[in-house]
Amino acid sequence: MEIEKAFVLWHSLLDHKNIAKLNNVLIGSLLGDCHLQFSPRQSWIDFHTLPIIGTTRFRFGQKTSQKTYVDYVYGLMHPLCTSVQKPRSENDGDFYSFYSSYLEELTRYHEVWYRYDFMDSTKNTKSFVKWLPLSLEKILVDPISLFLWYLDDGSLRTHCNAARFASQCFSYEEHELMRAVLRKNFLLDTVINKSGFSAYGGIQRYSLSVPAKSFPRFLDLIHVYRTQVPTMVYKFKRPRND
C-alpha cells in the first residue's frame, strides 16, 4: 500500500490537516534514526513468510540532554500517543524517549519503510531492515520533514558552512534516489560521499551532504522551524569568534 493511503482509516478521528502533518513528521523521523516496532498478531510459524497482520508503534528517543527535542517531536505526534505514557527517562536516566500507541495504520507504514531480512536461515533468525520507499518523490514534499531529518541525522561540516546527513544505513542507489527527490521537490542540490565501511562484511557506506553553495537554500527551506527547538540551534550555525 502506498504511504499516502496509510492513514485513510483515520479520517473519522483526525481532520485532513492533522493527517498531513503526521505524515510529514513520520517521513522526516524515519529518514533519521527513529523506528517502527511491528507486533504480529500471531506467532511466526513459517520463517520464510512475511507477517503483515498486526499493529505497530512509533518509537523516538534521544540522550537526556536533548529532552526539549524529544518533547517537541512528542507534541507533533501526540494524536497517536493519547493512550500511552508521556516521554520518560530510561537507562538510568541517560536516555529520554516515548512510544506511540500500537496502531494498524502504522503497520501500513512499516510495510513500506521496512523489508524482511533473514540474518541466519539455519537458526531461523529474522529482522526488519529500513529502506527508502520507492514512492519517496510523492511523500517527501514538506520542509518540516527535512527539518526533522536534519535534527536527527544532520550536522554542520567542520571547516565550511555546509551540512551532512549521517545516512549510512541506506545504499548507494537509495542515496541516488534521495538526491533526485531533493533536487526535484526542493531545488536542493546534494552530494553523495563515501563514509567508511560497515563493521560486518566490509560494505562501503555512503552519506549525503549539502555543499556550501546549497546550504543557504537549505536554511531558507527550514527557516520557519529553526527556532522551535532552541536547544538544537547549534545544528545550524556556529557561534561567532569576533
Side-chain angles (χ1 to χ4, degrees), residues 27 31 132 136-138 140-143 145-147 149-150 165 167 174-192 207-211 214 217-218 221-222:
I27 291 161
L31 282 168
L132 285 186
L136 189 67
E137 179 184 326
K138 298 179 181 179
L140 180 56
V141 295
D142 195 292
S145 298
L146 298 183
F147 174 67
W149 181 21
Y150 185 69
F165 291 93
S167 50
E174 288 172 304
H175 278 83
E176 288 186 316
L177 175 59
M178 286 189 286
R179 282 195 70 202
V181 171
L182 291 173
R183 177 59 187 163
K184 183 171 183 179
N185 290 355
F186 300 101
L187 301 179
L188 183 66
D189 289 322
T190 55
V191 176
I192 301 174
S207 61
L208 197 70
S209 63
V210 182
S214 299
R217 169 65 180 166
F218 176 68
L221 284 166
I222 61 174

Side-chain angles (χ1 to χ4, degrees), residues 37-239:
Q37 295 181 332
F38 173 67
S39 177
R41 188 163 296 169
Q42 297 178 340
S43 299
W44 298 358
I45 299 174
D46 183 355
F47 280 77
H48 295 81
T49 301
L50 175 63
I52 60 174
I53 300 175
T55 55
T56 299
R57 67 178 179 178
F58 171 89
R59 182 177 187 267
F60 186 85
Q62 296 282 323
K63 56 186 179 181
T64 302
S65 60
Q66 302 295 3
K67 178 179 182 294
T68 302
Y69 171 31
V70 177
D71 287 338
Y72 172 74
V73 177
Y74 173 75
L76 297 174
M77 295 293 294
H78 185 259
L80 310 188
C81 307
T82 55
S83 64
V84 294
Q85 295 183 35
K86 294 181 179 180
R88 60 195 182 279
S89 296
E90 52 184 295
N91 294 343
D92 295 325
D94 293 333
F95 197 71
Y96 187 70
S97 67
F98 71 90
Y99 297 87
S100 76
S101 304
Y102 275 106
L103 299 163
E104 289 186 8
E105 291 85 353
L106 288 179
T107 299
R108 307 287 78 78
Y109 245 89
H110 192 275
E111 290 175 21
V112 175
W113 279 88
Y114 290 81
R115 59 184 175 182
Y116 196 34
D117 182 53
F118 296 97
M119 299 169 62
D120 187 339
S121 59
T122 62
K123 296 180 181 179
N124 282 340
T125 54
K126 57 196 178 299
S127 68
F128 285 101
V129 178
K130 187 188 293 184
W131 67 341
L132 285 186
L134 297 179
S135 58
L136 189 67
E137 179 184 326
K138 298 179 181 179
I139 60 174
L140 180 56
V141 295
D142 195 292
I144 194 172
S145 298
L146 298 183
F147 174 67
L148 291 170
W149 181 21
Y150 185 69
L151 287 191
D152 200 21
D153 259 358
S155 61
L156 283 175
R157 298 290 298 272
T158 305
H159 301 297
C160 60
N161 287 324
R164 175 174 290 162
F165 291 93
S167 50
Q168 289 91 339
C169 67
F170 297 117
S171 68
Y172 183 82
E173 291 74 18
E174 288 172 304
H175 278 83
E176 288 186 316
L177 175 59
M178 286 189 286
R179 282 195 70 202
V181 171
L182 291 173
R183 177 59 187 163
K184 183 171 183 179
N185 290 355
F186 300 101
L187 301 179
L188 183 66
D189 289 322
T190 55
V191 176
I192 301 174
N193 304 111
K194 290 184 177 180
S195 189
F197 295 87
S198 63
Y200 301 99
I203 299 171
Q204 177 69 61
R205 296 302 191 189
Y206 301 91
S207 61
L208 197 70
S209 63
V210 182
K213 66 178 182 180
S214 299
F215 194 56
R217 169 65 180 166
F218 176 68
L219 293 180
D220 286 344
L221 284 166
I222 61 174
H223 174 75
V224 67
Y225 304 108
R226 284 168 54 192
T227 60
Q228 294 184 5
V229 191
T231 58
M232 303 297 282
V233 294
Y234 72 91
K235 289 262 188 175
F236 305 102
K237 61 180 180 180
R238 301 178 184 83

